[in-house]
Amino acid sequence: QTSRGGGAKDLANGSFTVRVNKLEPANVSRFYPENAKTHVGTPYTGIVFKANGKFASLDGSYRMELDLNGTKVAEKDEPTVEYTPEFLKDEGKKLEVKTYYKSPFMKSYVQIDDQVFTVAPPPLIVGSSGDLTAGDPLDFKVALGVPGAYSELGADHVDIESDGYFESTAKKLMDGASGKHFSFEAKMMGKANGIRDKAGKPVHVIVHDPISGRSDAFDIMIYPKVQTKGRGGSGGGGGIH
């Protein structure tokens, strides 16, 4: 509430109220990548980070600025801006998104929004090939990134925790015609031969990328190997001569 306070010649002693409405984004999803529930920006190294600073019912000119640990890395005279933090270099740094606005009646821009996010390494995404029988190798795919922006791992292997059911290291394989190395394989250990329950044994597998430090996990079932009875009789007719 504000008083007029115009001095002795100001005969009006009333007051008036100034109300400033909260600015609402023109789009709920302002950033990419972002948290799907909170819509908070989640910048990752190696992935293009995009910001949209436009607010609803606020037409005019916009200027967007991105600062990385206080250093300007991108600027555009429009409501959108983007930047790709460098992998294995920018993790842990602060990415600040500044939004400036100028109406047709203003001489210069004024800052109307300021958001700060911490840059993180890209998530590790793992997909398994399905249930196994004792003796089968463990095949699975691994990538860094988010849907629509996956990249292969720089390492030639990943580390595995599986309570001893598989080797502790899975080697990278070639993905056929794709030319990308998303596939990995680990040998099953002899411990799996001790599985007797026909319902199978659930195994929790944790995969670690040795370069990014990221991890992901999945569960599989290992079923006992079916025992087959050999044919009796004499003679060598069953062989290839």
Side-chain angles (χ1 to χ4, degrees), residues 87-239:
F87 184 58
L88 297 181
K89 179 181 178 181
D90 293 334
E91 289 85 355
K93 294 182 180 180
K94 300 296 182 180
L95 185 64
E96 185 174 10
V97 183
K98 298 178 181 179
T99 303
Y100 298 88
Y101 171 77
K102 182 177 68 173
S103 77
F105 307 100
M106 299 167 60
K107 292 183 178 180
S108 57
Y109 285 94
V110 295
Q111 187 172 339
I112 59 174
D113 191 55
D114 191 339
Q115 305 280 335
V116 180
F117 310 112
T118 300
V119 180
L124 188 72
I125 309 298
V126 178
S128 68
S129 58
D131 299 334
L132 302 174
T133 298
D136 293 342
L138 175 64
D139 294 312
F140 56 95
K141 292 182 181 292
V142 187
L144 287 169
V146 294
Y150 291 128
S151 60
E152 65 181 82
L153 274 61
D156 62 358
H157 72 281
V158 291
D159 298 320
I160 290 178
E161 293 180 55
S162 64
D163 195 26
Y165 284 94
F166 300 99
E167 287 184 320
S168 59
T169 298
K171 297 180 180 180
K172 181 186 288 186
L173 305 174
M174 175 64 82
D175 263 7
S178 71
K180 297 238 181 230
H181 298 77
F182 290 121
S183 295
F184 289 77
E185 183 177 275
K187 292 182 179 179
M188 189 176 291
M189 303 298 287
K191 183 177 180 178
N193 293 327
I195 299 174
R196 295 289 182 264
D197 190 344
K198 293 182 179 180
K201 169 69 177 178
V203 177
H204 187 63
V205 180
I206 305 175
V207 179
H208 304 279
D209 174 22
I211 293 182
S212 69
R214 287 289 203 173
S215 301
D216 194 19
F218 60 93
D219 295 300
I220 62 165
M221 292 291 292
I222 301 178
Y223 293 96
K225 196 167 187 177
V226 178
Q227 300 296 323
T228 57
K229 295 181 179 180
R231 293 182 178 180
S234 59

